[in-house]
Amino acid sequence: LREMYSDPVMAVVREYSANALDAHTLAGCSDPIEITVPTRSEPVLKIRDFGNGLSDDEVKRLLLGYGASGDHKRESNQYVGGFGIGAKSAFAVTDQFTFVSHHEGKCATWHAYRDQDDDCKATKLSENPSDSPSGVAVIIPIASDQVFAVQQAIAAAFRFYDVKPKLINAGPDLLSVYNKPFPATSFSGTLSVSDKDGNVSQVAWKIL
C-alpha cells in the first residue's frame, strides 16, 4: 500500500471519508461525518461516521481482506467505494492505527498494524458496553512532517460534498480555506469528480 497511491496523504483523507460517507448513505444518516484535524501538538487524524457500525466479522474482513467492502457498494452507484482497499489505506502513511466500531450497544477497539514480515494484521484490544452513537472511528497517527499536508488535503478533499464534514480542532487558517466556495486555491492540482461508472461523485480525485 505504500507505493499504491501517488499522493498517500490525500488518499488517506479521501478513502476514509468516502467510507464514512458510504456508511451514512447505507444508514440513511444525513448528519455530517466528523474529522479531527491533526496539529503539531496533537498529530492524530480521526475520521468518525455515525452509520450502523461494524460487527467483528465485518471489521476482520475490512482490515485483513481485500475486495471486502460489501456487495451493496458494487451494486449501487449511491456508494463511493467498492473494492475494500480504502479501509487499509492508513498503511500508506503509518505502520499502525486504531479502528473503533460502535455497533449494537458495544464499542470494540482494534489495533491494525504491520508485523515483522510487513503483513497487515489486526488485533481486537477491547470490547465494552457503550451508549455512544453507532458508527466507526478511524484514528491515525500522523508524522510531524505530514501534519500540514493532511491539513491541505482536508481543505481540498470536500469541496464537492453535499454535506461537508464537521471539523474538530481546525485552526482559523484551515477553516477560512475550507469554508470557501469552490474553487479553493490552497491545493495545487486539478480535481475531477466522477465515480467508476462516470457519474458525478462527491469525492475529489486528483488528475495526474
Side-chain angles (χ1 to χ4, degrees):
L1 288 177
R2 290 190 182 96
E3 292 78 32
M4 182 173 178
Y5 301 106
S6 61
D7 186 343
V9 169
M10 174 59 87
V12 168
V13 172
R14 183 186 65 218
E15 296 284 6
Y16 288 111
S17 299
N19 285 348
L21 180 67
D22 284 346
H24 279 207
T25 299
L26 181 63
C29 177
S30 60
D31 295 332
I33 65 175
E34 291 184 354
I35 297 180
T36 301
V37 180
T39 64
R40 294 286 185 179
S41 58
E42 298 179 63
V44 175
L45 171 65
K46 179 179 178 181
I47 299 176
R48 170 73 152 99
D49 72 58
F50 300 94
N52 297 324
L54 298 172
S55 67
D56 283 359
D57 286 343
E58 290 170 323
V59 172
K60 289 176 184 177
R61 285 198 298 270
L62 280 175
L63 295 182
L64 299 177
Y66 290 87
S69 61
D71 290 340
H72 60 278
K73 289 194 177 186
R74 298 185 182 89
E75 295 171 355
S76 172
N77 288 330
Q78 287 183 295
Y79 304 100
V80 178
F83 300 102
I85 298 173
K88 294 168 282 292
S89 60
F91 287 125
V93 298
T94 186
D95 288 330
Q96 59 180 343
F97 64 98
T98 303
F99 194 95
V100 181
S101 177
H102 300 271
H103 179 67
E104 296 183 346
K106 297 179 181 179
C107 174
T109 300
W110 294 74
H111 178 220
Y113 61 96
R114 288 185 179 276
D115 66 11
Q116 59 186 5
D117 296 319
D118 210 32
D119 293 328
C120 300
K121 302 290 185 180
T123 300
K124 187 177 180 181
L125 299 180
S126 64
E127 180 177 280
N128 298 291
S130 174
D131 57 4
S132 295
S134 63
V136 165
V138 183
I139 304 166
I140 305 165
I142 302 297
S144 59
D145 61 352
Q146 291 185 319
V147 167
F148 182 63
V150 173
Q151 293 175 356
Q152 282 190 308
I154 291 170
F158 307 108
R159 60 186 68 178
F160 302 110
Y161 271 47
D162 295 331
V163 179
K164 281 191 171 184
K166 176 183 177 181
L167 299 189
I168 299 170
N169 217 26
D173 290 342
L174 172 57
L175 288 174
S176 68
V177 175
Y178 183 76
N179 292 323
K180 281 183 180 179
F182 176 79
T185 58
S186 66
F187 182 76
S188 60
T190 305
L191 297 171
S192 170
V193 281
S194 61
D195 65 15
K196 56 184 177 293
D197 294 317
N199 300 299
V200 175
S201 169
Q202 297 185 54
V203 177
W205 303 90
K206 187 175 181 181
I207 297 175
L208 300 177

